Amino acid sequence: MQRCCGKITSHLWLWSTLLFLTLCFAPVMLHPQCLDFKPPFRPQKELEFCIMYKEFGCCDYQKDQELMSKYYQIMDNFDYSGYTSCAGFIFDLLCQECSPYAAHLFDAEDPSTPVRTIPGLCSEYCFQFWNKCSFTIPFLSGDPYIANFKENQTSLCHYLEIQDKDYCYPYLLNNQQLTQNLGGIQVNSDGCLQLCLEEVANGLQNPLAMVHANDGTHRFFVAEQVGLVWTYLPDRSKLERPFLNITQAVLTSSWEGDERGFLGLAFHPKYKYNGKLYVYYSVEVGFDERIRISEFHVSANDMNEVDHTSERVILEIDEPASNHNGGQLLFADDGYLYIFTGDGGMAGDPFGKYGNAQNKSALLGKVLRIDVDDNQRGPLYRIPPDNPFIHEQGARPEVYAYGVRNMWRCSVDRGDPWTKNGKGRIFCGDVGQNKFEEIDIIEKGRNYGWRAKEGFSCYDKKLCANSSLDDVLPVYAYPHRMGKSVTGGYVYRGCEYPNLNGIYIFGDFMSGRLMSLQEDKTTGNWKYNEICMGMGLTCAFPGLINNYHQYIISFAEDESGELYFMSTAIPSATSPSGVVYKVIDPSRRAPPRQCHYNPLPVRVKSNLIKFVPQETLVGIDLPNENFQPQSTESYQWHQELSDHRGEIGAGVITPVPATGTSKTTKNSRRKGRHRKNKSKLERAPHIETGAVRLVGDSRSDRGRVEIYINGEWGTVCDDLWTLVNARVVCRQLGFQHALKAAKNSEFGEGKDLRILLDDVKCVGTESSLLDCRHAGVGTHNCAHYEDAGVICGNSSYVAEV
């Protein structure tokens, strides 16, 4: 298929022409995408109707049953002859909502055109359908253009045609270029994994740690090198007051590359009950520089603020130089605190005869393990009884492993979600000297080679030749032509992207490379693949980007196991150019609702700062998001048929109104949720269209948002639900402030109502939600488990979230 740069019709897939100018002369590779603008998935429960997509597609069992019901309701309108002639066509057309390329077939990827009500058809197939079954068209679509064309075969098939001949239905099924690797991580010709990102937080000063408290709240805490730790709620809003502020004590500077500062943060495994956390930072004592590991407690009065008077210094270690300060703290599966120190700095670990790293009487260049439980009285920490050198004369009992140069970022493998294989392994990136960077798996009592070895090669030839070295070789090492400062990562064990399970993802601070390793279970070897950002349409999903700042500082997991990393444009402790990114696989996702979780309530006493993304997709110019297609309205008979069935509407999308509107959309289908017919008794003409009410809580200041439009009450979906939207509702109800934009049907599901608004985006000055941008009245791609709510108040402080 050849693309040209000429003018194309509104129903062409416009984005494919906007990749690069060079793509005007080459075939366009589509990417799988569903009508909800997300990647396809493998259904948890096998489909019974659209079985051609039972292995991989855009329908779960619930959606499959909806399509089956719709199929039989349509077929009930025909006699035996019509049934035998058209059953196959109706089946084919309905099931294309389950195709991995549904968004392409229904033209949903182009926001400047309405979503098709009949998928894009190849001309030969369309002619056959028209010749045999043109009388079925009114039951499939309420699009008035289709209704006007249905008596004219040529006009109709031209209207339904997708000009990309290789990608229309049913030719798309036979396109091996599209189907041969469907569902797997996309890899380019160089073996580079094509992934995407989602921006999560920005404006940070060298964010070098992101951790969660494992307390069920799904908050995450981001630490800056200057000594500030910020709290983020699950909706990604940031608390105005910091969780921890020890900037006055932390030793760092604004010059680029300064390795001193606030370097590590870890919450006690029982933090939910004891409120204890641990920090690792640089301090100056007199003329000496030291590493300090301290214990803090959370405030008894505010769960989002540390009691700064509670600091107890657990351990201090003198630093002979200003670099190689280590900085990782973590609790492993055994419940002990692991501390990863650098070798003391300068080049080649020149301290003593063998260097700090090989000297077990020194705490530098080590992995330390201590027990900080039950330390309210007596010693601040104890030595675990199985520490490997506890009985070795001259060795520090805290030492768990040695031969470490400067391990920067370590993590504990959660293990395979089903088999638990790999659970408890500790992965570390150890920064090299001048030739190699390495990834290690930490084992008790082992020697990791430095300064005798750097990576797999000898650094100090005399030490390297020593037969007693008995060092552990790295899992992987790479030369400095690929990068000069490794940043250790995580083995992905999240729920949302099954393809990534078991892949260790890490990076390089200097080169900005993202990299991955995957273990061969039969040989024990690790296969390397670089990670590239997907270009063109690969990352053309709402909210995704394909670029990041070069200096990769750290990686992180959230409470549910999803993977993130932090990078910055300027590697200075005071530069506010740091961003947190979430790693996304655009090729496959988990089935809907599989990864749903309900965060525990968070009591907030600080103002909230709404997250505003700043990063953008590169390499493709998306159509103007303000473009509004001309409104079209489907026939009333189609609405009546749809209401009678209680099934999906099938008209065209109503344009986003610039101001409030009282016209009800006759269609609604992106995910294809049920539509409920409303009784005339519920109509209340004296209620003004756009009025809102709060339902689902006995208190008048909070509840599920329900809106009155065209004589019926309905709910609002939370896809783009923000505090700004909530503010419009609260002000309309007479409250001064919106304290929370509640999501995930926190105040119950309005199952007896239709979903009337979705993708609501307010600027905050509107008089009602109808004046905000939205997908169109009755048009939605969500379900009632996403019903939005609010908590309002007349104080600007959030009393309960």
Side-chain angles (χ1 to χ4, degrees):
M1 178 207 54
Q2 194 74 15
R3 274 284 195 183
C4 68
C5 294
K7 184 178 179 180
I8 55 179
T9 64
S10 63
H11 269 296
L12 274 179
W13 190 37
L14 297 181
W15 287 5
S16 58
T17 64
L18 298 172
L19 296 179
F20 297 100
L21 291 176
T22 55
L23 286 185
C24 290
F25 308 99
V28 175
M29 171 61 75
L30 294 182
H31 66 306
Q33 188 181 86
C34 300
L35 289 178
D36 61 355
F37 306 105
K38 294 178 182 178
F41 52 88
R42 188 158 288 124
Q44 286 181 286
K45 186 175 181 180
E46 190 169 293
L47 307 186
E48 295 178 347
F49 182 61
C50 299
I51 57 175
M52 71 283 275
Y53 299 118
K54 67 179 182 179
E55 297 297 328
F56 189 72
C58 291
C59 289
D60 60 4
Y61 182 80
Q62 176 182 326
K63 177 63 179 175
D64 183 62
Q65 294 297 299
E66 291 176 7
L67 292 173
M68 182 189 295
S69 176
K70 184 176 182 180
Y71 169 80
Y72 286 116
Q73 289 166 354
I74 291 176
M75 298 313 298
D76 283 346
N77 293 280
F78 312 132
D79 58 18
Y80 178 78
S81 174
Y83 195 100
T84 55
S85 298
C86 302
F89 285 108
I90 302 298
F91 172 79
D92 286 345
L93 297 180
L94 290 178
C95 282
Q96 293 324 299
E97 287 195 39
C98 300
S99 167
Y101 294 98
H104 173 66
L105 287 170
F106 287 90
D107 209 19
E109 290 169 308
D110 182 358
S112 67
T113 61
V115 176
R116 290 173 178 259
T117 55
I118 295 177
L121 304 179
C122 304
S123 55
E124 295 88 342
Y125 181 90
C126 183
F127 291 154
Q128 294 174 21
F129 167 61
W130 189 90
N131 285 327
K132 292 184 178 182
C133 303
S134 60
F135 61 90
T136 68
I137 291 174
F139 299 96
L140 287 166
S141 173
D143 185 341
Y145 291 108
I146 290 180
N148 291 336
F149 294 150
K150 76 182 183 68
E151 302 300 331
N152 185 309
Q153 179 192 59
T154 303
S155 297
L156 176 69
C157 290
H158 180 73
Y159 184 73
L160 295 179
E161 184 180 22
I162 288 182
Q163 293 192 12
D164 299 335
K165 303 297 184 184
D166 292 336
Y167 305 121
C168 57
Y169 181 81
Y171 290 170
L172 177 142
L173 299 176
N174 300 318
N175 189 333
Q176 292 186 358
Q177 187 181 15
L178 292 178
T179 59
Q180 61 183 351
N181 295 315
L182 194 59
I185 300 177
Q186 295 302 303
V187 181
N188 69 11
S189 58
D190 297 324
C192 207
L193 306 183
Q194 305 288 294
L195 298 181
C196 305
L197 303 174
E198 182 179 0
E199 185 182 0
V200 171
N202 53 36
L204 292 156
Q205 300 177 95
N206 252 33
L208 44 73
M210 169 182 158
V211 297
H212 63 85
N214 198 35
D215 60 356
T217 64
H218 289 265
R219 292 172 294 172
F220 59 90
F221 302 84
V222 179
E224 296 178 322
Q225 189 175 348
V226 292
L228 288 166
V229 179
W230 300 100
T231 306
Y232 289 81
L233 299 181
D235 66 357
R236 297 177 183 173
S237 57
K238 173 184 174 181
L239 271 62
E240 189 175 61
R241 292 206 301 266
F243 179 68
L244 177 66
N245 182 354
I246 54 172
T247 53
Q248 295 302 311
V250 170
L251 174 63
T252 190
S253 72
S254 61
W255 55 267
E256 294 186 14
D258 191 345
E259 297 179 18
R260 302 167 301 176
F262 189 105
L263 303 176
L265 170 67
F267 286 85
H268 193 281
K270 297 179 180 177
Y271 171 81
K272 185 176 180 178
Y273 308 103
N274 63 27
K276 292 165 62 173
L277 61 141
Y278 298 84
V279 299
Y280 185 131
Y281 62 99
S282 304
V283 294
E284 191 169 39
V285 181
F287 294 102
D288 297 328
E289 292 183 9
R290 295 179 184 174
I291 290 169
R292 176 178 290 171
I293 287 84
S294 286
E295 176 187 273
F296 284 90
H297 279 77
V298 71
S299 169
N301 301 315
D302 189 346
M303 66 184 297
N304 294 301
E305 190 169 341
V306 167
D307 178 357
H308 290 74
T309 66
S310 68
E311 181 175 13
R312 297 199 299 169
V313 178
I314 299 293
L315 182 65
E316 280 191 355
I317 306 171
D318 285 332
E319 275 283 0
S322 295
N323 58 345
H324 301 187
N325 299 301
Q328 181 71 53
L329 290 178
L330 60 81
F331 284 91
D333 284 2
D334 55 19
Y336 296 128
L337 179 63
Y338 287 71
I339 304 166
F340 299 79
T341 64
D343 66 5
M346 294 194 277
D349 191 6
F351 307 103
K353 185 176 181 181
Y354 304 112
N356 282 325
Q358 291 297 319
N359 178 5
K360 284 179 277 188
S361 66
L363 294 180
L364 294 171
K366 304 293 186 299
V367 179
L368 310 178
R369 183 173 73 154
I370 60 176
D371 181 356
V372 291
D373 285 345
D374 303 319
N375 63 350
Q376 290 79 6
R377 297 178 181 178
L380 294 171
Y381 69 87
R382 295 177 174 84
I383 304 300
D386 64 336
N387 266 16
F389 307 111
I390 194 168
H391 300 299
E392 183 174 317
Q393 187 175 1
R396 288 293 297 258
E398 297 92 340
V399 175
Y400 183 77
Y402 63 108
V404 169
R405 185 177 182 273
N406 190 32
M407 285 185 166
W408 183 248
R409 294 311 175 232
C410 305
S411 63
V412 180
D413 185 357
R414 295 187 181 207
D416 184 276
W418 297 278
T419 67
K420 300 304 178 184
N421 286 338
K423 181 172 171 47
R425 294 181 299 183
I426 300 176
F427 287 78
C428 287
D430 199 4
V431 180
Q433 179 65 47
N434 52 25
K435 289 185 178 180
F436 296 99
E437 307 296 310
E438 66 182 68
I439 300 295
D440 298 298
I441 296 179
I442 303 303
E443 299 173 6
K444 183 171 69 174
R446 302 307 301 273
N447 180 2
Y448 287 84
W450 178 250
R451 74 183 186 203
K453 288 184 178 178
E454 178 187 8
F456 293 102
S457 68
C458 287
Y459 178 81
D460 184 320
K461 293 183 179 179
K462 290 183 179 179
L463 285 178
C464 190
N466 191 326
S467 59
S468 65
L469 185 63
D470 190 28
D471 60 320
V472 180
L473 294 177
V475 168
Y476 179 74
Y478 62 92
H480 276 194
R481 68 174 182 272
M482 291 175 60
K484 297 183 178 180
S485 182
V486 67
T487 300
Y490 282 78
V491 178
Y492 180 84
R493 300 297 189 185
C495 172
E496 295 178 14
Y497 303 105
N499 284 337
L500 301 182
N501 182 32
I503 297 179
Y504 178 72
I505 295 177
F506 63 107
D508 188 274
F509 176 78
M510 293 301 294
S511 69
R513 286 179 186 264
L514 284 172
M515 299 173 275
S516 73
L517 298 172
Q518 190 163 23
E519 185 179 17
D520 184 327
K521 297 297 192 302
T522 58
T523 65
N525 296 326
W526 292 78
K527 178 185 177 183
Y528 171 84
N529 284 98
E530 190 164 346
I531 294 173
C532 300
M533 293 293 96
M535 295 302 294
L537 292 170
T538 305
C539 298
F541 295 93
L544 299 195
I545 56 175
N546 59 354
N547 62 100
Y548 57 91
H549 294 315
Q550 172 184 334
Y551 298 100
I552 301 173
I553 309 171
S554 190
F555 286 78
E557 276 183 331
D558 65 16
E559 193 165 347
S560 58
E562 299 307 320
L563 182 63
Y564 302 75
F565 72 92
M566 288 141 276
S567 69
T568 186
I570 303 171
S572 163
T574 57
S575 170
S577 60
V579 180
V580 180
Y581 304 94
K582 183 178 181 181
V583 177
I584 306 291
D585 174 17
S587 303
R588 179 188 170 196
R589 59 168 155 152
R593 293 173 293 278
Q594 179 178 318
C595 305
H596 184 70
Y597 58 85
N598 293 308
L600 293 176
V602 177
R603 297 184 62 84
V604 177
K605 296 184 177 181
S606 169
N607 290 330
L608 299 178
I609 302 171
K610 177 187 174 184
F611 169 61
V612 179
Q614 302 294 327
E615 307 299 308
T616 57
L617 191 71
V618 300
I620 176 172
D621 296 323
L622 301 181
N624 186 349
E625 64 175 6
N626 296 319
F627 178 86
Q628 298 177 6
Q630 184 178 353
S631 174
T632 56
E633 195 169 326
S634 56
Y635 292 128
Q636 186 65 33
W637 60 262
H638 179 266
Q639 181 64 32
E640 292 172 355
L641 176 64
S642 176
D643 288 346
H644 173 71
R645 292 168 178 163
E647 286 298 313
I648 327 167
V652 296
I653 286 184
T654 300
V656 177
T659 59
T661 177
S662 60
K663 180 177 285 187
T664 303
T665 304
K666 294 296 191 286
N667 111 300
S668 184
R669 193 251 295 114
R670 284 199 186 173
K671 284 185 183 175
R673 304 294 178 193
H674 289 291
R675 299 183 67 175
K676 301 293 184 183
N677 190 23
K678 299 300 295 177
S679 166
K680 293 182 180 179
L681 295 176
E682 291 187 55
R683 300 181 181 274
H686 64 280
I687 301 177
E688 184 179 352
T689 290
V692 290
R693 66 187 182 188
L694 302 183
V695 180
D697 195 284
S698 59
R699 290 166 288 187
S700 62
D701 63 348
R702 62 197 64 197
R704 179 175 65 250
V705 174
E706 295 184 356
I707 187 167
Y708 187 80
I709 304 173
N710 274 9
E712 70 172 309
W713 286 99
T715 64
V716 180
C717 221
D718 67 22
D719 281 359
L720 295 178
W721 195 243
T722 65
L723 204 61
V724 177
N725 299 345
R727 194 173 300 135
V728 172
V729 173
C730 292
R731 190 174 61 247
Q732 190 176 352
L733 293 171
F735 294 95
Q736 294 182 29
H737 301 284
L739 305 183
K740 185 184 180 184
K743 297 186 177 184
N744 301 321
S745 63
E746 180 176 325
F747 295 103
E749 300 182 18
K751 291 184 177 179
D752 59 331
L753 304 177
R754 280 207 301 148
I755 298 171
L756 293 184
L757 290 184
D758 189 14
D759 294 337
V760 179
K761 191 171 185 179
C762 305
V763 298
T765 58
E766 298 88 346
S767 59
S768 81
L769 295 180
L770 274 176
D771 297 327
C772 305
R773 291 176 55 193
H774 53 80
V777 176
T779 298
H780 65 87
N781 62 347
C782 54
H784 280 299
Y785 63 80
E786 296 165 293
D787 280 346
V790 296
I791 298 177
C792 305
N794 291 315
S795 167
S796 60
Y797 291 102
V798 181
E800 179 182 88
V801 179

